[in-house]
Amino acid sequence: MIPGHCGISRRAVLKMMAAAGASTATVSQWPRRASSASRLVVGAAYVGPKDDYGWNQGHAQGVTAVKKIDGVKVVEEENVPETVQVQKTMESMISLDGASLIFATSFGYWEHMLKVAAKYPKVQFLHGGPTVWKEGMPTNAGSYNGFIDEAQYIAGIVAGYTSKTGKFGFVGAKPYPASLRNINSFTLGARTVNPKAMTQVIFTGDWVLPVKEAEAVNSLADQGIDVVTCHVDSPKVVIETAEKRGIFSSGYHVNQSTLAPKGYLTGAEWNWEKVYTDYVNWLRDGKSWPHMRRGGLRAGIVRNAPYGPAVSEKARKQADDAKAKFTDGSFVIYKGPMKDNTGKTVIPAGKSYDATDIWLESMDWLVDGVRGSTRS
Amino acid sequence: MRLLGGSPRGAAEALTIPAGALAVSLILFGIFVALAGANPLGVYETIYSGAFGSWFSWQNTLQRATPLMLTALCTALPARLGLVVIGAEGALIIGALATVAIASVLPGASHWTVITAMMLAGMSAGGLWVGLAGGLRYYRGVNETISSLLLNYIAIALMNHLVGGPMRDPLVLHRPSSWHVGERNMIGLIPGMDVHWGLVFGVVGCIVTYVLMQHTVFGFAARIVGGNVRAARMAGVPVGRLTLVTCLIAGAAAGLAGTTEIAAVHGRASTSLVVGYGYTGILVAFLARQNPLAVIPVAILLGGIDAAGGLLQRWHDLPDATVHVMRGIIFLVILASEPVYGRLRVFQQSVVAPSNGAVPREAA
Amino acid sequence: MEALGWWGVPLAVLGGAIRGSTPFLFVSLGECLTEKSGRINLGLEGTLVMGAMSGYGVSYLTGSPWLGVLVAGTCGMVLGAVHASICARPRVNDIAVGIALMLFGLGLAFYLGKPFIQPNAPRLPAIPFGWWSESPQVRAALEVNVLFLIGAVLAPGLLWALYNTRWGLAIRAVGDNADAARTMGYAVDRVRLLGTVAGGFLAGIGGSFLSLYYPGSWNEAISSGQGLMAVALVIFARWDPLLCLFAALLFGGAGALGPALQSVGITSGYYLFNAAPYVLTLLLMIATSSTQRTLKGAPSELSVTK
């Protein structure tokens, strides 16, 4: 279980050190570009630790799936800041490891990735996030993103059935469009079950702030809220605190059910495994791909975590029915008439926005039924 | 050569002891990675090739060293007066905010006007920020270490507030960011290199402050204050003005680092500015023993370690924190070597002992 | 659960003060002890995170969270000993050593802590002081961890000991005038070593509270700078252990204020709320410092008060 420092015996260390001292030949055997020239090398950069029970872990799981493909070698770096440093990391993966496909998995990598992409036209660059590729940008760059709010909508239905108070809590990091879309879709899903459902939002101010996240869950629980979900980089603390307070939780990014065996209802998850293996296979087969790849439940880019023990049969059925409608493409979440929480009509009657509509990626309002503000 | 110690022996000492401390730290670090199951020699080789092994590595290293030179000055200069200022992180952020602000009020101005204005704004804002700590120290007796630490937190909160509200560019949807200073106002790369102009600012900043501290009346007075405040006061040295001006210059250096982060890298202010350049700068300053000229090679050394950090992850399966451990070990050993100065007999004899490999010929 | 509305705010701040104050309390008591002996240890942030990591790791490996707390304290002692032994050498700046130890402690904790991010370790239990109340909110707010109680008893205990015991006298003597203490026969470096080691022990325990009780998780962002803030907090508390307790409660409660206000609909300016403790400390320092005299209660050997 514990690699490295704990598991290794003293004798092994001594032996290794002796070996290292005896022969300098071992030194020159470290991986070099030449040794990987025949293989497809994929580079991935993460903004945080790979095992954060959240955003970075989701991507790392996707990259792990890629490792299993024959003839593919993966090079990874974690905790890479969103500055010129990530440019150097990508360039280093290209020039020292021979990477020909780069996954840049944090929003703040986009501008840096475009700069590097312009410099290395033979390498493919892909960015995970709500970024928009436009004509004139490097043609070897692109972005992929999932409509994870569809999974949040399903989670909202499940929460709506399970909640006793009809009050939900959402712990966000910052009021930005993807968060707002998650909050809105979750609330809309819950409101199909309970039209009076209300979601209280708390923004902590940054992507990882454990103490603030725990405080947020506690004050939500104090307000009589009995289902909590979130959009922070590492939902571990939110889920665990909810379990401690004896309220239900709905996960985000990856499966956190082991953290809350009693209260975990379901969760909205990424399926980067599929996305990443697709890209690698396409690259090997010489196929071209779209500059912008978008998809939700139907495309299999997002999914819901298995239902927890507290979810009733009726809720499961209703949620599965809704999922089926997403999968056959017959359902649209954002359909008029729809009002925001200040009473203004945001989508007029008769108008509807398909999930792929780019308008939804600039969402700056909260739907009726949400308590919270989009300002910081 | 009168750069380091005043006497050739002093110079030899000033080069040999840090080199020796560095060697000791590398051995300790080697033992550490060996315990983790990596081959220390392989790790050394990777660090060398990742930092200095090729032209690409060199540029990578220099790029990472660039902000560190300026943030290190923020600690190194006040240290000459005996002050420990750790406020470079905050001054960098405030400098960056001022850079964005000034660019936005000069929409029609020429390229060079805007760039000059941005640099002046960044330097003045950073200068005032650390100057505040210096002023509080002199006029109110508030400890500068604690106040500059608090000012770092306040600067980050202020930036988050401004880029999320008053200075927010509504067109940047997915991350609270300030307005862009304008593509045409960006300062690009040094011709023929993949390193931006910040490197030149850093090197010039170090040389200018070195001359100021080592070869002017101002610097002489500052060193007297650093030696003994009471004696300096009795000798009629204007301690207050020196404290204030030194902190202003120190903050201006960090503020300029903020300007370059905006004008050469990001174009707009956001949380991407908070990556710890200020805190690493403290390490650089102490490793350079507060000598502005020594800041240049030390910053390059640490930039190199940083540049190699990615390779340690990719080639040796070591965690990213390996670099932090290495920095910590170097810092501790260098500090622990402080008492060795003036103790080694080699440097006290009238004839300098045969130079070991670490000492350049002209220094010995 | 019934909704509390606006009453939720003071309750959340009270609960937050109890929950959030413990790391502040332990680190500041430790720092207070070290500073009373005439040295400042700026590296307690590293100690705190190292304590969080080792406490969680040991609790996971052995199944005993209390053993984790003990090991966390021991790690803190080791780091404290490193600080003290480097600082005991001539011409070494204790502030710089502190910063170096902070970098080293953080690096080491992140390095060794990788395998413990995923697994679930047994956590510390809480004592339900709110059993008398019908309200689940009150009961939750009054769930108190034993470490908080230990800290709350330790604070007046330390105050008493500093002024009424032999070793308290030794620490103060060494912290107020090293030369005089030396002529009185005190081994200055040894007293300071013990002061720093004890301080590290407390800071390590504060760290284990973060990972083993609240928020009760080990990851690389577990500390939000409580270790660094504790240094300011000690000045805020005038080097008085009892005031450290109140200051810790204040800082802990301040951390809960932002989320609590948002939960009742006050939604703007939370970055400024979050910065309130720093601004408050700075203002307090400005208001009470003076160039003419050292701060009341301040050990005069301390570099930050000279």
Side-chain angles (χ1 to χ4, degrees), chain C:
Chain C
M1 281 186 215
E2 285 297 301
L4 285 182
W6 270 94
W7 282 108
V9 177
L11 193 69
V13 172
L14 171 73
I18 295 174
R19 290 186 293 258
S21 63
T22 311
F24 280 121
L25 177 58
F26 274 86
V27 184
S28 63
L29 287 179
E31 183 69 35
C32 187
L33 208 55
T34 309
E35 290 189 17
K36 273 285 184 192
S37 77
R39 275 217 195 104
I40 184 164
N41 183 356
L42 225 53
L44 289 188
E45 176 73 15
T47 310
L48 184 88
V49 174
M50 194 62 200
M53 188 280 296
S54 56
Y56 195 85
V58 168
S59 170
Y60 167 67
L61 292 173
T62 65
S64 161
W66 290 108
L67 196 63
V69 173
L70 199 68
V71 170
T74 314
C75 282
M77 287 169 77
V78 173
L79 288 174
V82 173
H83 184 274
S85 44
I86 296 181
C87 289
R89 316 189 73 197
R91 292 203 309 265
V92 174
N93 181 316
D94 55 352
I95 292 178
V97 176
I99 297 169
L101 263 180
M102 178 172 84
L103 288 177
F104 180 70
L106 289 174
L108 197 62
F110 294 166
Y111 187 103
L112 299 176
K114 290 278 179 204
F116 303 120
I117 298 178
Q118 291 282 334
N120 216 340
R123 314 295 157 81
L124 292 169
I127 305 173
F129 277 103
W131 50 268
W132 47 269
S133 170
E134 291 288 303
S135 152
Q137 290 94 339
V138 173
R139 265 183 274 157
L142 293 180
E143 285 225 324
V144 178
N145 182 269
V146 181
L147 282 180
F148 174 75
L149 298 177
I150 295 175
V153 173
L154 199 61
L158 273 180
L159 178 65
W160 178 84
L162 273 174
Y163 290 91
N164 294 289
T165 63
R166 217 149 45 96
W167 64 261
L169 180 70
I171 285 186
R172 284 188 302 123
V174 166
D176 280 336
N177 191 332
D179 290 333
R182 221 169 263 123
T183 51
M184 283 157 71
Y186 289 115
V188 173
D189 283 334
R190 222 179 73 209
V191 172
R192 287 181 177 166
L193 174 78
L194 293 175
T196 315
V197 167
F201 180 73
L202 291 177
I205 289 181
S208 70
F209 180 91
L210 280 176
S211 61
L212 289 173
Y213 185 72
Y214 191 80
S217 161
W218 160 244
N219 63 58
E220 292 176 12
I222 189 70
S223 157
S224 4
Q226 285 100 330
L228 268 173
M229 273 312 292
V231 180
L233 200 145
V234 173
I235 297 177
F236 192 88
R238 293 275 160 278
W239 294 271
D240 178 335
L242 195 58
L243 288 180
C244 281
L245 172 63
F246 297 122
L249 284 168
L250 188 71
F251 278 53
L257 188 61
L261 284 175
Q262 278 191 61
S263 77
V264 295
I266 294 184
T267 50
S268 54
Y270 44 78
Y271 290 113
L272 299 182
F273 280 124
N274 292 354
Y278 313 121
V279 178
L280 207 62
T281 309
L282 188 61
L283 289 179
L284 193 96
M285 281 175 72
I286 295 171
T288 57
S289 297
S290 160
T291 49
Q292 305 306 314
R293 53 184 164 80
T294 54
L295 293 167
K296 193 171 158 287
S300 21
E301 282 281 317
L302 197 62
S303 50
V304 295
T305 55
K306 272 185 194 161

Side-chain angles (χ1 to χ4, degrees), chain B residues 70-79 85 87-88 91-92 123 126-128 130-131 209 212-213 243-257:
Chain B
L70 291 168
T71 53
L73 288 179
C74 190
T75 300
L77 301 178
V85 169
L92 185 149
M123 287 166 71
L128 288 174
V130 176
T209 49
L212 177 74
M213 283 293 160
T243 307
L244 213 55
V245 173
T246 308
C247 285
L248 279 171
I249 299 171
L256 185 59

